[in-house]
Amino acid sequence: MYILEQDQSSTPYAALYYQQPEDYLEFFNYPGGASYNITKLSENRWRDPAAWIHYVIKCDTTAATAADRTRVYANGAEIIYRTDTNISQNTDTGWNKATAMRIGGTATVSGRDFNGYLAEFHHVDGTALDPTSFGEYDDNGVWRPIEANISSYGTNGFYLKFDPSATNGIGHDHSGNGNNFTPSGFTT
């Protein structure tokens, strides 16, 4: 099930999805050709359909250390990777390019749309933020969302609250950038 996808009709492209039927979480970037230049495949399986999970993908391809260029977090902790391929320094990814971006679905793989609830979606362009920008552990060690304090979402950034009463409905960009989405294929 795809949580996010940057258009796969051209390369490079990127996606975050659950591999079915194994339920591994994977973030990848495919530049074209024979191999992926980012593959972050979880060791753990994600099988609790009632669980609230908070994901952060932190990507900074300018980082000197390869392992620091792309990190995937679940509920504040970096996931353990069964496959961990890192992108070369200063390489562009398929995310954040001028093609269709899909939240909760895919246009290329039939029957793989996300079947769940999304509370919010932040895309911060040009800044690699840690999970603590979006959540914190409470006194019981449970990861909880916080009001994100983001001074700038960057040129292509956006913040979706999925609020049906917003000016442009659930696809309204609350970052102030006007990068609104067109809702398709679901109900609120």
Side-chain angles (χ1 to χ4, degrees), residues 140-158:
N140 297 314
V142 176
W143 185 256
R144 300 283 184 207
I146 61 171
E147 181 90 21
N149 184 12
I150 299 170
S151 59
S152 173
Y153 279 82
T155 304
N156 297 317
F158 57 85

Side-chain angles (χ1 to χ4, degrees), residues 95-167:
W95 185 252
N96 199 33
K97 65 180 185 172
T99 59
M101 184 181 293
R102 292 172 181 83
I103 309 297
T106 175
T108 56
V109 184
S110 178
R112 298 294 299 278
D113 290 340
F114 183 65
N115 184 15
Y117 295 100
L118 296 172
E120 294 182 332
F121 195 104
H122 295 265
H123 168 51
V124 182
D125 178 17
T127 306
L129 300 175
D130 289 315
T132 54
S133 297
F134 307 98
E136 64 188 7
Y137 291 104
D138 66 15
D139 293 340
N140 297 314
V142 176
W143 185 256
R144 300 283 184 207
I146 61 171
E147 181 90 21
N149 184 12
I150 299 170
S151 59
S152 173
Y153 279 82
T155 304
N156 297 317
F158 57 85
Y159 170 33
L160 303 178
K161 292 183 180 180
F162 305 110
D163 179 1
S165 67
T167 304

Side-chain angles (χ1 to χ4, degrees), residues 174-188:
H174 293 269
S175 74
N177 284 346
N179 295 325
N180 301 309
F181 280 66
T182 301
S184 174
F186 58 89
T187 59
T188 58

Side-chain angles (χ1 to χ4, degrees), residues 22-25 41-46 79-80 82:
E22 300 88 3
D23 297 322
Y24 295 113
L25 181 71
L41 178 63
S42 68
E43 179 68 31
N44 296 337
R45 295 178 182 203
W46 305 86
I79 67 170
I80 298 168
R82 66 184 295 132

Side-chain angles (χ1 to χ4, degrees), residues 57-91:
I57 299 170
K58 180 180 178 181
C59 188
D60 177 5
T61 65
T62 66
T65 304
D68 291 340
R69 293 183 197 133
T70 307
R71 293 175 177 250
V72 179
Y73 299 86
N75 295 338
E78 187 169 10
I79 67 170
I80 298 168
Y81 308 112
R82 66 184 295 132
T83 303
D84 187 7
T85 306
N86 295 298
I87 196 167
S88 298
Q89 190 173 23
N90 299 318
T91 302

